Amino acid sequence: SAVISQKPSRDICQRGTSLTIQCQVDSQVTMMFWYRQQPGQSLTLIATANQGSEATYESGFVIDKFPISRPNLTFSTLTVSNMSPEDSSIYLCSVLLTGQLTYEQYFGPGTRLTVT
Amino acid sequence: AQSVTQLDSHVSVSEGTPVLLRCNYSSSYSPSLFWYVQHPNKGLQLLLKYTSAATLVKGINGFEAEFKKSETSFHLTKPSAHMSDAAEYFCVVSLGSGGFKTIFGAGTRLFVKA
C-alpha cells in the first residue's frame, strides 16, 4: 500500500494569485497523477507526472495554468496559477503501485481550494 | 473509447435492506474495474477491484461486485445497509495496456435511512 500526504489540506486564496500543492508518498513510485474534483462532481484527471519526464496533460488542462514538478520518486507539486473562482475544487494526488499481475491506485486526502 | 456509466446519481435505502449501485462500462481492452467510496470531507478509499481473476469480487465492509462481461456491468451490492455506508461511490475503469489511464464514473450518492 501507499500512504500519501498533501499540503496544504485546504486554503482560501484571492483571484489572480497562485497556489502550490505538495504531494508526498511514503514509497518510491513511478507514476503519479493529479486530479481535480469540482464541487459535487466526480474526479477529472489533470495530468500524469512521471519522474524524469515532462508531465502529460489531459484535454482541457495546460501547463501554463497547472505547472507540475516531479523532482524524485516520492514527491510532486501542482501549481494552480492565476486563480479564478472556477478553480475552486478539491485537488487530489494519486499514485499507482504495480505488482506482478495487478496494480492499485491510491489517493491522497486532497487539498480543498476556495478562490474568492 | 473507454467510458463508465453509473446509472443512478442517488440511491436511498433503509438501514438493514440490500444495496445495489449500478455501473456499466465500455472498453476496447480487458479492463480493470474498481469501486471507491468517499465519505464527506474524507479521501477516497478502495472498496474492491476486479482484475481478470474471479468474476465475483468481495471487498471491505461487506460489499461485493460481480463482473459480467456479457452485460458490460460491474454492479456493487451489499446484503444489509448500515448507516455508516452513507457516502459517495465511484465506479472506475482503468486500462494498463500501453500506458495507464483511469476513468471515473459520475458517482452515486447513497443515502441510508434509519
Side-chain angles (χ1 to χ4, degrees), chain A:
Chain A
S1 65
V3 177
I4 304 171
S5 59
Q6 289 185 230
K7 289 182 181 179
S9 58
R10 59 178 62 226
D11 206 343
I12 301 173
C13 302
Q14 291 191 339
R15 68 176 68 206
T17 64
S18 297
L19 176 72
T20 295
I21 302 168
Q22 299 179 4
C23 175
Q24 181 75 51
V25 190
D26 69 342
S27 57
Q28 294 185 334
V29 294
T30 301
M31 299 188 77
M32 293 181 76
F33 310 90
W34 285 99
Y35 288 83
R36 180 176 73 182
Q37 186 177 22
Q38 294 178 298
Q41 303 290 317
S42 185
L43 277 74
T44 301
L45 181 64
I46 297 172
T48 301
N50 293 337
Q51 197 269 338
S53 62
E54 294 287 325
T56 303
Y57 290 83
E58 297 298 306
S59 175
F61 298 96
V62 295
I63 187 171
D64 289 346
K65 175 68 175 178
F66 297 101
I68 289 171
S69 78
R70 182 78 201 276
N72 57 53
L73 291 173
T74 63
F75 187 79
S76 177
T77 68
L78 169 76
T79 299
V80 186
S81 303
N82 188 25
M83 288 183 285
S84 66
E86 292 70 36
D87 294 320
S88 297
S89 294
I90 299 173
Y91 292 86
L92 297 103
C93 172
S94 174
V95 302
L96 183 70
L97 294 189
T98 57
Q100 195 169 14
L101 298 174
T102 186
Y103 51 88
E104 284 192 17
Q105 191 171 6
Y106 293 88
F107 291 84
T111 296
R112 185 179 293 272
L113 170 63
T114 302
V115 183
T116 60

Side-chain angles (χ1 to χ4, degrees), chain B residues 4-104:
Chain B
V4 58
T5 302
Q6 291 184 241
L7 299 168
D8 306 292
S9 60
H10 299 85
V11 170
S12 182
V13 302
S14 297
E15 191 174 23
T17 63
V19 175
L20 170 63
L21 305 183
R22 298 181 295 168
C23 173
N24 285 103
Y25 70 93
S26 172
S27 175
S28 304
Y29 307 97
S30 296
S32 293
L33 296 159
F34 305 80
W35 277 98
Y36 285 86
V37 60
Q38 187 178 41
H39 287 93
N41 300 313
K42 296 280 183 66
L44 282 162
Q45 182 182 20
L46 178 66
L47 274 178
L48 50 79
K49 63 179 180 180
Y50 165 78
T51 55
S52 77
T55 56
L56 181 61
V57 182
K58 294 187 184 299
I60 61 171
N61 301 335
F63 284 94
E64 62 181 39
E66 186 172 7
F67 173 72
K68 292 186 177 180
K69 187 175 182 179
S70 61
E71 299 176 9
T72 61
S73 68
F74 190 58
H75 301 334
L76 181 71
T77 60
K78 183 173 181 178
S80 176
H82 192 273
M83 295 296 289
S84 61
D85 294 327
E88 187 87 19
Y89 291 80
F90 294 99
C91 182
V92 178
V93 59
S94 67
L95 307 164
S97 299
F100 181 81
K101 192 168 183 72
T102 295
I103 300 172
F104 274 74

